[in-house]
Amino acid sequence: MKLERLFEVKNSKLFSVDGKEKSVSPELVKAVKWSDVEGECEAYNEDFLAKLRDELKSLEEKNQFVFVEPVFDKDAPVEQFVAAMKHTARRIKDCASVIGFAIPQQVEGEKDFYISELSQKHAHYCFFSKNISDSEICMY
């Protein structure tokens, strides 16, 4: 299922596609721990991901929106983290309430790889950062 873009980033700010600026506030953030997505045995926690999807679908019904802020809380390679977040994106692919994903500090050096991987089937996603100054990435 391909979702239409509802938001876009211009000059590091978030806008709805109708041109209205959207404030990036704490209630827009949905933190998702890597360790909740991928357990100790490096298997994805499909039960957690199903519950996350249900939560995001309930926001959709209320016309509320969030972006996922992945929490890099494991000691493993960046590529493994990116794969886990890509899997997360696939599991929530039909949730129109998801604006996009934040870029964790630990991934900033690989931001192009991260964005490319998560955008492959989710071209409507916007990306967010606390540290990267880029007109295509929303600062929060």
Side-chain angles (χ1 to χ4, degrees), residues 42-77:
E42 298 183 10
Y44 296 131
N45 183 340
E46 297 299 342
D47 184 52
F48 169 79
L49 292 169
K51 288 176 182 168
L52 174 63
R53 181 189 173 278
D54 290 345
E55 179 183 347
L56 295 170
K57 289 302 272 184
S58 73
L59 291 177
E60 188 177 310
E61 294 167 7
K62 301 173 197 169
N63 202 32
Q64 295 177 332
F65 300 93
V66 296
F67 66 89
V68 174
E69 181 178 46
V71 178
F72 197 107
D73 66 345
K74 291 177 62 168
D75 185 21

Side-chain angles (χ1 to χ4, degrees), residues 34 37-38 44 49 78-89:
W34 179 11
V37 172
E38 181 184 76
Y44 296 131
L49 292 169
V78 167
E79 295 80 13
Q80 186 176 334
F81 170 81
V82 173
M85 291 306 113
K86 184 176 180 179
H87 184 74
T88 301

